[in-house]
Amino acid sequence: VDGSTSCASCHKQRLAFADETDFSVGLDGQIGTRNSLPLGNTIGFVKYYGTDLTIPSGQFSWDEGQESINNQSRAAIESSIEMGHNMYDLAQDLKNYDYYQILFEKVYGKNGITETNILDAVTEFVNSFSSRESPFDEGVLSVGSPYYELPTLSAAENNGRNLFNNNCGSCHDPNHNAIVMTAANNGLDMVYEDKGMGSKFNDSSLNGVFKVPSLRNIELTAPYMHDGRFATLEDVV
């Protein structure tokens, strides 16, 4: 609302659209309550978040409280901690810039800048993110399965692949392009200060249950977990 905070303030492209801090800084220096989830870390949001009805679908945010990029974007824009703006007022503000007027009319015709069109534009942008053609992807493509030894990986990396598939793949997809479990309690704490989905849905059986994120570009997205408690992947393991 004061021009100080944008989506990119907490989702930095150089970090796979994540943030390097435990909790991001928002409006008037306020500190968020959860670590910013990376955005540019999937094979494609359309596939990862379940537009393809043949795979399980995930939701947005750590407590799976938003069902679409559209809803998540609105929540961030209107959050009193993050951007503190009203969608209607935002649309009116953007109309003060000639270049926004021109661009929106090129895409949306005479309707131009509206709340709906702003959210649609952000959704289309985020949906364009993808992560692929890594040595892992090339290896799977050549042998047909992540469960086989991959010729594009070193011996140590293939050993890690075996360990991962046997111990981590039950929640994190061995192919790293879809979801096995959308959310889980991985045993971080005996008692959770942040109860995750338990708080969101007022269900104590879901205390400590948080989103299972994709691990693509994971080296770029530290710190880890919903509260950023782990600085390195070694700490996570």
Side-chain angles (χ1 to χ4, degrees):
V1 68
D2 64 358
S4 65
T5 308
S6 72
C7 304
S9 299
C10 304
H11 299 284
K12 300 176 175 67
Q13 182 174 342
R14 63 183 173 83
L15 301 174
F17 297 92
D19 202 355
E20 65 264 67
T21 61
D22 295 1
F23 305 112
S24 300
V25 179
L27 183 65
D28 296 327
Q30 295 180 87
I31 306 298
T33 59
R34 290 177 180 151
N35 183 251
S36 292
L37 279 162
L39 303 181
N41 68 340
T42 74
I43 202 71
F45 269 79
V46 172
K47 182 171 184 179
Y48 190 76
Y49 282 97
T51 301
D52 179 352
L53 298 180
T54 64
I55 61 173
S57 62
Q59 306 293 312
F60 291 84
S61 81
W62 279 107
D63 59 17
E64 299 240 291
Q66 303 293 341
E67 65 181 11
S68 68
I69 301 172
N70 187 304
N71 290 357
Q72 179 65 37
S73 300
R74 178 186 289 274
I77 290 168
E78 295 186 338
S79 165
S80 60
I81 295 176
E82 297 181 44
M83 298 187 210
H85 217 337
N86 172 277
M87 283 301 306
Y88 175 81
D89 292 338
L90 174 60
Q92 304 317 303
D93 289 347
L94 293 184
K95 289 177 182 178
N96 293 322
Y97 297 88
D98 289 343
Y99 56 86
Y100 276 133
Q101 290 271 29
I102 294 168
L103 291 170
F104 270 80
E105 286 177 10
K106 280 181 177 292
V107 176
Y108 298 105
K110 64 180 181 179
N111 289 332
I113 300 173
T114 66
E115 299 175 48
T116 298
N117 291 345
I118 290 170
L119 293 171
D120 181 72
V122 173
T123 294
E124 289 299 317
F125 174 63
V126 174
N127 259 332
S128 73
F129 301 163
S130 66
S131 174
R132 51 193 169 191
E133 298 182 4
S134 69
F136 169 82
D137 294 312
E138 292 171 359
V140 172
L141 185 63
S142 68
V143 301
S145 170
Y147 294 98
Y148 300 148
E149 183 167 323
L150 304 183
T152 52
L153 302 186
S154 69
E157 289 167 339
N158 269 300
N159 187 40
R161 177 189 51 77
N162 277 325
L163 289 168
F164 181 92
N165 289 346
N166 290 331
N167 298 281
C168 314
S170 56
C171 289
H172 297 283
D173 175 38
N175 276 300
H176 306 294
N177 62 4
I179 295 175
V180 176
M181 293 185 64
T182 62
N185 184 332
N186 63 359
L188 283 175
D189 296 304
M190 290 294 291
V191 178
Y192 283 83
E193 180 178 345
D194 182 344
K195 295 180 173 57
M197 291 179 67
S199 293
K200 181 67 180 180
F201 299 103
N202 194 29
D203 183 347
S204 61
S205 70
L206 296 176
N207 286 352
V209 175
F210 292 92
K211 179 179 186 59
V212 177
S214 164
L215 301 185
R216 285 182 173 269
N217 291 326
I218 194 69
E219 281 280 7
L220 298 175
T221 66
Y224 305 104
M225 301 297 160
H226 67 279
D227 54 7
R229 69 178 65 188
F230 295 135
T232 69
L233 288 175
E234 286 78 8
D235 292 339
V236 173
V237 174

